[in-house]
Amino acid sequence: KVTWTHNGNTAVEYDQSQVLIFDPFKKRIVLDFQSGELTVKRLTTGDDGVYESTAIVNGKNQYSKHELQVIGKYAFIFF
């Protein structure tokens, strides 16, 4: 299972049988099922904020946290 949140709100969930993508990310998110990597297309300043992922891989919990700042047509990710 993989879950990504944006500012505490669920953006996408994958449970090995289905992918659920929530507004405002519908049609803008690509989730790599192997790595859990998240790609957000057509970024806007509304996409600024904290992105957190939780995943269960081989029975172990994994967690990551990233901060995204969109400035004009550029995006900066802070780890």
Side-chain angles (χ1 to χ4, degrees), residues 33-58:
F33 302 130
Q34 297 297 319
S35 68
E37 182 178 283
L38 180 73
T39 302
V40 181
K41 298 178 180 182
R42 298 183 306 280
L43 290 169
T44 69
T45 54
D47 297 323
D48 281 357
V50 176
Y51 288 80
E52 296 176 89
S53 71
T54 55
I56 300 172
V57 179
N58 297 326

mmCIF file of all heavy atoms in Angstrom, residues 33-58:
data_model
loop_
_atom_site.group_PDB
_atom_site.id
_atom_site.type_symbol
_atom_site.label_atom_id
_atom_site.label_comp_id
_atom_site.label_asym_id
_atom_site.label_seq_id
_atom_site.Cartn_x
_atom_site.Cartn_y
_atom_site.Cartn_z
ATOM 1 N N PHE A 33 4.242 2.448 -9.424
ATOM 2 C CA PHE A 33 3.815 1.380 -8.519
ATOM 3 C C PHE A 33 4.990 0.606 -7.923
ATOM 4 O O PHE A 33 4.869 0.039 -6.854
ATOM 5 C CB PHE A 33 2.867 0.408 -9.228
ATOM 6 C CG PHE A 33 1.641 1.073 -9.779
ATOM 7 C CD1 PHE A 33 1.256 0.853 -11.083
ATOM 8 C CD2 PHE A 33 0.876 1.917 -9.001
ATOM 9 C CE1 PHE A 33 0.117 1.456 -11.600
ATOM 10 C CE2 PHE A 33 -0.263 2.528 -9.507
ATOM 11 C CZ PHE A 33 -0.639 2.294 -10.805
ATOM 12 N N GLN A 34 6.113 0.577 -8.616
ATOM 13 C CA GLN A 34 7.278 -0.147 -8.113
ATOM 14 C C GLN A 34 8.014 0.637 -7.024
ATOM 15 O O GLN A 34 8.351 0.105 -5.983
ATOM 16 C CB GLN A 34 8.244 -0.468 -9.259
ATOM 17 C CG GLN A 34 7.659 -1.378 -10.306
ATOM 18 C CD GLN A 34 7.314 -2.753 -9.757
ATOM 19 O OE1 GLN A 34 8.062 -3.316 -8.979
ATOM 20 N NE2 GLN A 34 6.174 -3.287 -10.159
ATOM 21 N N SER A 35 8.265 1.914 -7.296
ATOM 22 C CA SER A 35 9.073 2.722 -6.369
ATOM 23 C C SER A 35 8.242 3.564 -5.413
ATOM 24 O O SER A 35 8.749 4.024 -4.402
ATOM 25 C CB SER A 35 9.999 3.654 -7.167
ATOM 26 O OG SER A 35 9.228 4.636 -7.844
ATOM 27 N N GLY A 36 6.965 3.805 -5.777
ATOM 28 C CA GLY A 36 6.131 4.697 -4.965
ATOM 29 C C GLY A 36 6.360 6.164 -5.282
ATOM 30 O O GLY A 36 5.773 7.041 -4.663
ATOM 31 N N GLU A 37 7.195 6.447 -6.282
ATOM 32 C CA GLU A 37 7.513 7.821 -6.661
ATOM 33 C C GLU A 37 6.286 8.525 -7.220
ATOM 34 O O GLU A 37 5.539 7.967 -8.024
ATOM 35 C CB GLU A 37 8.621 7.810 -7.706
ATOM 36 C CG GLU A 37 9.069 9.182 -8.147
ATOM 37 C CD GLU A 37 10.196 9.077 -9.152
ATOM 38 O OE1 GLU A 37 11.335 8.805 -8.727
ATOM 39 O OE2 GLU A 37 9.931 9.247 -10.359
ATOM 40 N N LEU A 38 6.098 9.768 -6.804
ATOM 41 C CA LEU A 38 4.949 10.571 -7.220
ATOM 42 C C LEU A 38 5.397 11.664 -8.175
ATOM 43 O O LEU A 38 6.389 12.354 -7.919
ATOM 44 C CB LEU A 38 4.299 11.219 -5.992
ATOM 45 C CG LEU A 38 3.087 12.104 -6.247
ATOM 46 C CD1 LEU A 38 1.881 11.241 -6.615
ATOM 47 C CD2 LEU A 38 2.781 12.947 -5.031
ATOM 48 N N THR A 39 4.658 11.831 -9.281
ATOM 49 C CA THR A 39 4.884 12.934 -10.206
ATOM 50 C C THR A 39 3.583 13.708 -10.318
ATOM 51 O O THR A 39 2.524 13.121 -10.541
ATOM 52 C CB THR A 39 5.279 12.416 -11.611
ATOM 53 O OG1 THR A 39 6.458 11.621 -11.487
ATOM 54 C CG2 THR A 39 5.534 13.566 -12.564
ATOM 55 N N VAL A 40 3.668 15.032 -10.137
ATOM 56 C CA VAL A 40 2.496 15.904 -10.294
ATOM 57 C C VAL A 40 2.725 16.736 -11.547
ATOM 58 O O VAL A 40 3.739 17.425 -11.666
ATOM 59 C CB VAL A 40 2.296 16.824 -9.070
ATOM 60 C CG1 VAL A 40 1.057 17.696 -9.257
ATOM 61 C CG2 VAL A 40 2.184 16.013 -7.786
ATOM 62 N N LYS A 41 1.772 16.665 -12.469
ATOM 63 C CA LYS A 41 1.875 17.396 -13.733
ATOM 64 C C LYS A 41 1.142 18.732 -13.614
ATOM 65 O O LYS A 41 0.269 18.902 -12.774
ATOM 66 C CB LYS A 41 1.248 16.585 -14.861
ATOM 67 C CG LYS A 41 1.916 15.257 -15.112
ATOM 68 C CD LYS A 41 1.175 14.522 -16.207
ATOM 69 C CE LYS A 41 1.805 13.188 -16.502
ATOM 70 N NZ LYS A 41 1.100 12.505 -17.606
ATOM 71 N N ARG A 42 1.502 19.645 -14.506
ATOM 72 C CA ARG A 42 0.853 20.960 -14.593
ATOM 73 C C ARG A 42 0.757 21.630 -13.214
ATOM 74 O O ARG A 42 -0.324 21.972 -12.743
ATOM 75 C CB ARG A 42 -0.522 20.840 -15.256
ATOM 76 C CG ARG A 42 -0.443 20.328 -16.688
ATOM 77 C CD ARG A 42 -1.772 20.260 -17.414
ATOM 78 N NE ARG A 42 -2.827 19.511 -16.750
ATOM 79 C CZ ARG A 42 -2.949 18.185 -16.745
ATOM 80 N NH1 ARG A 42 -2.056 17.439 -17.358
ATOM 81 N NH2 ARG A 42 -3.958 17.605 -16.136
ATOM 82 N N LEU A 43 1.915 21.825 -12.595
ATOM 83 C CA LEU A 43 1.972 22.418 -11.262
ATOM 84 C C LEU A 43 1.427 23.837 -11.244
ATOM 85 O O LEU A 43 1.607 24.599 -12.204
ATOM 86 C CB LEU A 43 3.414 22.448 -10.763
ATOM 87 C CG LEU A 43 4.040 21.110 -10.408
ATOM 88 C CD1 LEU A 43 5.536 21.268 -10.193
ATOM 89 C CD2 LEU A 43 3.388 20.535 -9.169
ATOM 90 N N THR A 44 0.776 24.183 -10.140
ATOM 91 C CA THR A 44 0.325 25.549 -9.878
ATOM 92 C C THR A 44 0.785 25.915 -8.472
ATOM 93 O O THR A 44 1.218 25.049 -7.702
ATOM 94 C CB THR A 44 -1.215 25.660 -9.940
ATOM 95 O OG1 THR A 44 -1.780 24.963 -8.815
ATOM 96 C CG2 THR A 44 -1.769 25.087 -11.237
ATOM 97 N N THR A 45 0.660 27.167 -8.110
ATOM 98 C CA THR A 45 1.045 27.573 -6.756
ATOM 99 C C THR A 45 0.153 26.903 -5.711
ATOM 100 O O THR A 45 0.551 26.778 -4.561
ATOM 101 C CB THR A 45 1.002 29.097 -6.590
ATOM 102 O OG1 THR A 45 -0.287 29.575 -6.982
ATOM 103 C CG2 THR A 45 2.079 29.762 -7.443
ATOM 104 N N GLY A 46 -1.013 26.434 -6.102
ATOM 105 C CA GLY A 46 -1.885 25.690 -5.189
ATOM 106 C C GLY A 46 -1.304 24.339 -4.798
ATOM 107 O O GLY A 46 -1.758 23.709 -3.848
ATOM 108 N N ASP A 47 -0.284 23.890 -5.538
ATOM 109 C CA ASP A 47 0.374 22.620 -5.233
ATOM 110 C C ASP A 47 1.510 22.793 -4.222
ATOM 111 O O ASP A 47 2.112 21.813 -3.800
ATOM 112 C CB ASP A 47 0.927 21.987 -6.518
ATOM 113 C CG ASP A 47 -0.175 21.645 -7.510
ATOM 114 O OD1 ASP A 47 -1.257 21.222 -7.061
ATOM 115 O OD2 ASP A 47 0.043 21.807 -8.716
ATOM 116 N N ASP A 48 1.798 24.047 -3.835
ATOM 117 C CA ASP A 48 2.800 24.306 -2.792
ATOM 118 C C ASP A 48 2.455 23.530 -1.541
ATOM 119 O O ASP A 48 1.279 23.298 -1.239
ATOM 120 C CB ASP A 48 2.817 25.787 -2.397
ATOM 121 C CG ASP A 48 3.553 26.677 -3.369
ATOM 122 O OD1 ASP A 48 4.116 26.172 -4.350
ATOM 123 O OD2 ASP A 48 3.562 27.902 -3.123
ATOM 124 N N GLY A 49 3.479 23.161 -0.788
ATOM 125 C CA GLY A 49 3.213 22.586 0.520
ATOM 126 C C GLY A 49 4.018 21.336 0.798
ATOM 127 O O GLY A 49 4.996 21.021 0.121
ATOM 128 N N VAL A 50 3.563 20.636 1.806
ATOM 129 C CA VAL A 50 4.249 19.445 2.296
ATOM 130 C C VAL A 50 3.597 18.195 1.725
ATOM 131 O O VAL A 50 2.382 18.016 1.823
ATOM 132 C CB VAL A 50 4.223 19.403 3.838
ATOM 133 C CG1 VAL A 50 4.861 18.120 4.353
ATOM 134 C CG2 VAL A 50 4.941 20.622 4.410
ATOM 135 N N TYR A 51 4.412 17.353 1.127
ATOM 136 C CA TYR A 51 3.977 16.061 0.595
ATOM 137 C C TYR A 51 4.606 14.977 1.460
ATOM 138 O O TYR A 51 5.816 14.992 1.696
ATOM 139 C CB TYR A 51 4.422 15.889 -0.859
ATOM 140 C CG TYR A 51 3.652 16.773 -1.815
ATOM 141 C CD1 TYR A 51 3.978 18.109 -1.960
ATOM 142 C CD2 TYR A 51 2.593 16.269 -2.544
ATOM 143 C CE1 TYR A 51 3.270 18.933 -2.820
ATOM 144 C CE2 TYR A 51 1.871 17.076 -3.416
ATOM 145 C CZ TYR A 51 2.221 18.407 -3.546
ATOM 146 O OH TYR A 51 1.510 19.213 -4.394
ATOM 147 N N GLU A 52 3.786 14.045 1.921
ATOM 148 C CA GLU A 52 4.275 12.946 2.743
ATOM 149 C C GLU A 52 3.796 11.635 2.147
ATOM 150 O O GLU A 52 2.668 11.542 1.674
ATOM 151 C CB GLU A 52 3.758 13.076 4.170
ATOM 152 C CG GLU A 52 4.266 14.325 4.870
ATOM 153 C CD GLU A 52 3.672 14.497 6.239
ATOM 154 O OE1 GLU A 52 4.249 13.967 7.194
ATOM 155 O OE2 GLU A 52 2.613 15.157 6.322
ATOM 156 N N SER A 53 4.671 10.651 2.177
ATOM 157 C CA SER A 53 4.284 9.324 1.684
ATOM 158 C C SER A 53 4.495 8.296 2.779
ATOM 159 O O SER A 53 5.433 8.390 3.574
ATOM 160 C CB SER A 53 5.093 8.935 0.446
ATOM 161 O OG SER A 53 6.422 8.654 0.792
ATOM 162 N N THR A 54 3.590 7.338 2.802
ATOM 163 C CA THR A 54 3.748 6.159 3.643
ATOM 164 C C THR A 54 3.540 4.959 2.734
ATOM 165 O O THR A 54 2.683 4.971 1.856
ATOM 166 C CB THR A 54 2.742 6.112 4.812
ATOM 167 O OG1 THR A 54 1.419 6.214 4.284
ATOM 168 C CG2 THR A 54 2.990 7.233 5.798
ATOM 169 N N ALA A 55 4.368 3.957 2.941
ATOM 170 C CA ALA A 55 4.278 2.760 2.109
ATOM 171 C C ALA A 55 4.658 1.553 2.953
ATOM 172 O O ALA A 55 5.463 1.660 3.872
ATOM 173 C CB ALA A 55 5.208 2.868 0.910
ATOM 174 N N ILE A 56 4.069 0.440 2.623
ATOM 175 C CA ILE A 56 4.450 -0.826 3.238
ATOM 176 C C ILE A 56 5.169 -1.630 2.158
ATOM 177 O O ILE A 56 4.571 -1.983 1.142
ATOM 178 C CB ILE A 56 3.241 -1.583 3.784
ATOM 179 C CG1 ILE A 56 2.533 -0.746 4.848
ATOM 180 C CG2 ILE A 56 3.664 -2.939 4.347
ATOM 181 C CD1 ILE A 56 1.218 -1.318 5.320
ATOM 182 N N VAL A 57 6.463 -1.857 2.371
ATOM 183 C CA VAL A 57 7.287 -2.583 1.414
ATOM 184 C C VAL A 57 7.918 -3.761 2.142
ATOM 185 O O VAL A 57 8.623 -3.574 3.133
ATOM 186 C CB VAL A 57 8.378 -1.670 0.815
ATOM 187 C CG1 VAL A 57 9.246 -2.440 -0.153
ATOM 188 C CG2 VAL A 57 7.751 -0.460 0.147
ATOM 189 N N ASN A 58 7.632 -4.959 1.646
ATOM 190 C CA ASN A 58 8.146 -6.183 2.281
ATOM 191 C C ASN A 58 7.814 -6.224 3.771
ATOM 192 O O ASN A 58 8.636 -6.605 4.599
ATOM 193 C CB ASN A 58 9.658 -6.324 2.070
ATOM 194 C CG ASN A 58 10.016 -6.477 0.615
ATOM 195 O OD1 ASN A 58 9.259 -7.075 -0.153
ATOM 196 N ND2 ASN A 58 11.140 -5.940 0.207
#
